[in-house]
Amino acid sequence: MLEIVDDYGRPLSIRRYVVHPEIDRNLVSVWNTTIADVAAGSSLQHDYFVRRPGAATRDAGYHRFLAERFGWDLPDVARFDGRSGPLYLEVVAPLFIVEQKRGWSGIQAQTPTQFQIKDVRKRAIEFVLELDVQERARRILELEARASKLVVDWQSRSELLNLTATQAGAVVHGLPAKPSLEWPLEVAPEIRIAIEAGWRTLEEELLRLNEVSSRELHVAIPDSGTDAPSVERQLGQMQDQLARTEIAVARNHQQLELEQSTLDDTRARLAALEDDIRRHQDLITLSRMGSDVAQEILFEDCPVCHRMLDGIVLSPEDSPPILGVDESLAALAGRRELFQSVLANAERIVSSRKARASALSRVSGDLRTEIRTLKDTLTSPSLTPSAAVIEARLQSRRALEELRALELEFTGAIEELGVLSSDWVVISAELSDLRQAEFSESDRSKLQRLELLFRAQLEAYGFESCPVSQLGLAIDNYMPTHEGFDLTLDWSASDGIRVIWAYLIGLLELSAEANTNHPGLVVFDEPKQQAAADFSFKALLSESSTAALAAGGQVLFATSEPEDTLQSMLDHTEANVVTFDSKILKRR
């Protein structure tokens, strides 16, 4: 059981079993009173759970209850799976609780990673410091989620329009794959209908069908006998048109195969270019590190076609001067940009060619239907109405109605996509501003003050690995640095422990001077690690006492230091010492 008291003097008693024959160890019981009152049975018990899904979000989750009791509004943060989730208490706790086994290997060494939170340590520090950048990160996350939904909505609406167009033997031309920052587009999207000779716009086809429909209203349907010569001519024309269409289908198929081959080749060339760029980057890295071998490495394949070179093309004495590695890398980067453009164009061509293949297939099917109808007309009794004319008129009207419906669908889709594009412009502009924004004055002040407190404590603890004045906090992750490098690269083991002391006590000290989310509690389990000098430990006790008094908080130490030695270290330091003669936790 544990009894805590908050800033308002309100007690809270908490119980969690280490082991129990009937009660799950992940059940946490809470009373809004002291342990003495709990023993007397004079208060109401509330039960919560931990180590289960929902412990940080559901009403019965203990971590949700505890965060609310602390007055914390834990933010939603980005996860690696693209979704968002809460900043769990477990990832914040290592900034004020350090246990003996693994906690002293570095700042936030115990931070769990199973929650899949991006930049988890950075997000925890931003929360504890209550940085404005945290709200900016939350807003960016929110806008990115809205942007992702816009892309999905755009693609869903586009796919529906493309499906409707395909069913009508048409294709949508000029519609971007995702929302555009420019709307209306400079070249407006349009519907194109496949014909034997190429393409016809939806407007042109509608005009043609309307004219045909108007003429048909004033012409009576002839009987089969009267219409036979006309039917025979039409049959011949249709058969000729079908033959031409079949040729167009075959030609389109051949062109599609060639263009698909070009697309595959471009992808392969681009992949080879990427490999070349990586190899040149490695050469540059090795050269800058002083490698003598790097400049002598020879590429055995042609940088253009990537076929093996066997020394036959040019003899060594005839070889022209070659570019240096840096110049070659710049040239390769330019070629990559070119091939990326070529690839995008090839993908568009193949997509258009596939759409044309589908449209021509529909035209071919319609022609076959008309040919069968014409043949039926020629074999019908002479006085019956011409089936060919009836079928032609019905087909013409069906086509007209289908294209009118497609026109309405296209108009509605363009209006909806315009709304999505307008939202995309607003979201993109805000995201751009947020990503380029610098720290607020309040954030800079907190980070600068934390850096000063951190340095001052290291001075008091006797940090020796480098001059303390050369240390700072990285602007990207708020971690201690020396000349731009992580301090773990060059500090001694004992100085590593001093850095953890200074950073975590610095956070507590800062909470006395600025608005933060620090709970006012720091717990160190066996802080005298790596044989830290006695004077350093004494300085830690003194600094901790001062920081706790200033912040109105508490620093707890669990130490096996001999009591007489500890008492001498605590001389002139306000502290409460509780001595245990044996193990604190015992099996009953």
Side-chain angles (χ1 to χ4, degrees):
M1 293 194 74
L2 176 69
E3 180 182 316
I4 63 176
V5 180
D6 63 18
D7 288 342
Y8 301 100
R10 299 175 301 179
L12 185 70
S13 296
I14 307 163
R15 182 186 69 194
R16 182 180 179 187
Y17 283 100
V18 177
V19 61
H20 194 281
E22 298 175 358
I23 299 176
D24 193 299
R25 65 187 301 268
N26 292 321
L27 179 72
V28 180
S29 299
V30 172
W31 296 263
N32 291 304
T33 187
T34 64
I35 290 179
D37 289 338
V38 173
S42 60
S43 62
L44 184 64
Q45 174 180 331
H46 301 274
D47 287 340
Y48 301 91
F49 61 83
V50 293
R51 309 294 292 177
R52 295 287 189 278
T57 57
R58 290 162 58 177
D59 290 342
Y62 175 66
H63 288 158
R64 171 176 172 170
F65 159 77
L66 196 60
E68 290 177 349
R69 189 61 182 260
F70 285 169
W72 283 354
D73 182 16
L74 292 171
D76 278 349
V77 291
R79 291 167 41 171
F80 286 109
D81 60 6
R83 297 181 295 171
S84 63
L87 186 70
Y88 295 92
L89 279 175
E90 292 100 314
V91 305
V92 179
L95 287 170
F96 43 86
I97 300 176
V98 184
E99 59 87 31
Q100 180 182 359
K101 277 191 176 181
R102 294 176 295 274
W104 295 106
S105 60
I107 298 171
Q108 298 172 285
Q110 300 161 270
T111 301
T113 57
Q114 71 266 23
F115 302 117
Q116 296 295 301
I117 297 173
K118 286 184 178 180
D119 301 320
V120 59
R121 292 176 172 82
K122 180 179 179 180
R123 297 291 169 247
I125 295 172
E126 288 171 351
F127 172 74
V128 171
L129 290 176
E130 199 175 350
L131 297 180
D132 296 333
V133 71
Q134 181 189 13
E135 173 60 24
R136 193 168 77 215
R138 185 204 63 78
R139 180 60 177 165
I140 288 175
L141 182 64
E142 177 185 326
L143 291 172
E144 287 177 339
R146 286 177 56 191
S148 297
K149 185 178 183 304
L150 277 179
V151 172
V152 171
D153 291 347
W154 180 283
Q155 292 173 344
S156 176
R157 191 65 185 90
S158 299
E159 288 173 4
L160 179 59
L161 177 60
N162 282 320
L163 177 61
T164 305
T166 301
Q167 291 171 345
V171 296
V172 183
H173 181 76
L175 192 63
K178 66 178 185 178
S180 174
L181 291 175
E182 297 180 4
W183 195 270
L185 298 172
E186 184 176 350
V187 179
E190 62 181 7
I191 300 289
R192 292 183 180 179
I193 313 296
I195 59 175
E196 178 187 342
W199 298 94
R200 182 181 290 152
T201 66
L202 176 60
E203 291 78 5
E204 292 170 344
E205 184 66 4
L206 279 172
L207 180 61
R208 185 187 72 81
L209 289 175
N210 276 316
E211 291 175 351
V212 171
S213 179
S214 297
R215 287 197 302 269
E216 289 174 346
L217 290 174
H218 300 89
V219 178
I221 299 175
D223 56 53
S224 298
T226 304
D227 197 39
S230 174
V231 170
E232 289 179 350
R233 285 195 304 274
Q234 289 181 39
L235 179 59
Q237 292 171 355
M238 289 292 180
Q239 288 174 332
D240 289 343
Q241 187 177 352
L242 177 60
R244 291 194 300 270
T245 302
E246 293 293 346
I247 292 172
V249 169
R251 187 175 299 154
N252 187 76
H253 179 70
Q254 292 174 347
Q255 291 173 330
L256 177 58
E257 287 186 338
L258 289 172
E259 286 155 359
Q260 184 65 54
S261 176
T262 300
L263 176 60
D264 294 339
D265 183 60
T266 303
R267 285 173 176 161
R269 297 280 294 276
L270 189 56
L273 269 174
E274 296 287 358
D275 185 55
D276 276 350
I277 288 173
R278 284 191 294 270
R279 291 159 71 186
H280 279 75
Q281 288 171 336
D282 290 344
L283 281 178
I284 291 173
T285 299
L286 291 172
S287 298
R288 289 175 179 172
M289 294 175 68
S291 171
D292 294 328
V293 179
Q295 297 293 346
E296 299 174 6
I297 295 177
L298 298 177
F299 295 104
E300 298 178 351
D301 57 347
C302 173
V304 176
C305 66
H306 289 278
R307 294 180 180 176
M308 297 302 294
L309 300 174
D310 55 9
I312 297 176
V313 178
L314 288 175
S315 61
E317 57 271 14
D318 294 330
S319 297
I322 61 173
L323 292 177
V325 178
D326 289 313
E327 294 83 356
S328 295
L329 182 59
L332 286 170
R335 292 191 65 211
R336 175 174 61 183
E337 185 176 347
L338 173 62
F339 271 89
Q340 286 172 339
S341 177
V342 171
L343 177 64
N345 187 57
E347 288 174 338
R348 285 193 297 269
I349 291 174
V350 168
S351 177
S352 177
R353 187 66 65 185
K354 287 179 178 179
R356 177 164 176 77
S358 176
L360 286 174
S361 176
R362 178 187 173 90
V363 171
S364 177
D366 291 343
L367 286 171
R368 292 178 190 278
T369 300
E370 291 184 35
I371 288 172
R372 284 195 297 270
T373 303
L374 290 170
K375 288 180 177 179
D376 290 342
T377 299
L378 290 175
T379 59
S380 299
S382 299
L383 297 178
T384 59
S386 173
V389 174
I390 294 174
E391 177 61 28
R393 292 189 179 186
L394 288 175
Q395 186 173 348
S396 177
R397 289 178 184 177
R398 283 197 300 268
L400 182 59
E401 291 172 1
E402 191 174 40
L403 292 185
R404 282 174 177 169
L406 177 58
E407 183 181 40
L408 289 174
E409 174 74 11
F410 178 69
T411 302
I414 292 300
E415 289 178 356
E416 292 178 30
L417 294 176
V419 172
L420 294 178
S421 194
S422 298
D423 292 343
W424 179 264
V425 170
V426 174
I427 290 173
S428 298
E430 186 175 351
L431 273 174
S432 178
D433 291 342
L434 287 172
R435 286 168 176 159
Q436 294 176 11
E438 298 180 352
F439 286 100
S440 67
E441 189 60 38
S442 173
D443 286 358
R444 279 195 293 270
S445 176
K446 287 180 183 179
L447 293 172
Q448 289 169 359
R449 182 57 182 157
L450 178 60
E451 186 174 271
L452 292 175
L453 293 171
F454 172 71
R455 288 175 180 168
Q457 286 187 70
L458 285 180
E459 288 277 11
Y461 302 152
F463 184 85
E464 299 174 337
S465 293
C466 68
V468 171
S469 60
Q470 296 179 2
L471 302 182
L473 298 181
I475 203 67
D476 58 339
N477 61 6
Y478 320 118
M479 286 289 100
T481 61
H482 175 228
E483 296 182 344
F485 292 95
D486 191 329
L487 279 183
T488 54
L489 294 176
D490 52 17
W491 64 31
S492 66
S494 58
D495 271 350
I497 301 302
R498 293 183 179 98
V499 165
I500 300 173
W501 295 350
Y503 196 89
L504 300 193
I505 297 300
L507 290 174
L508 176 62
E509 278 190 300
L510 185 63
S511 70
E513 305 176 10
N515 292 326
T516 71
N517 285 316
H518 200 287
L521 173 71
V522 178
V523 180
F524 285 159
D525 182 12
E526 291 291 357
K528 194 180 179 184
Q529 297 283 318
Q530 302 296 335
D534 287 349
F535 82 89
S536 295
F537 189 44
K538 181 177 180 179
L540 171 64
L541 296 173
S542 176
E543 292 287 336
S544 299
S545 177
T546 301
L549 289 172
Q554 192 174 27
V555 181
L556 300 179
F557 292 90
T559 178
S560 56
E561 194 73 14
E563 187 174 358
D564 55 346
T565 304
L566 183 62
Q567 289 293 352
S568 66
M569 290 181 179
L570 288 172
D571 189 29
H572 304 301
T573 297
E574 185 171 341
N576 179 39
V577 180
V578 180
T579 303
F580 298 89
D581 296 327
S582 59
K583 291 183 178 180
I584 301 173
L585 297 179
K586 300 179 183 178
R587 184 183 298 273
R588 286 199 280 180

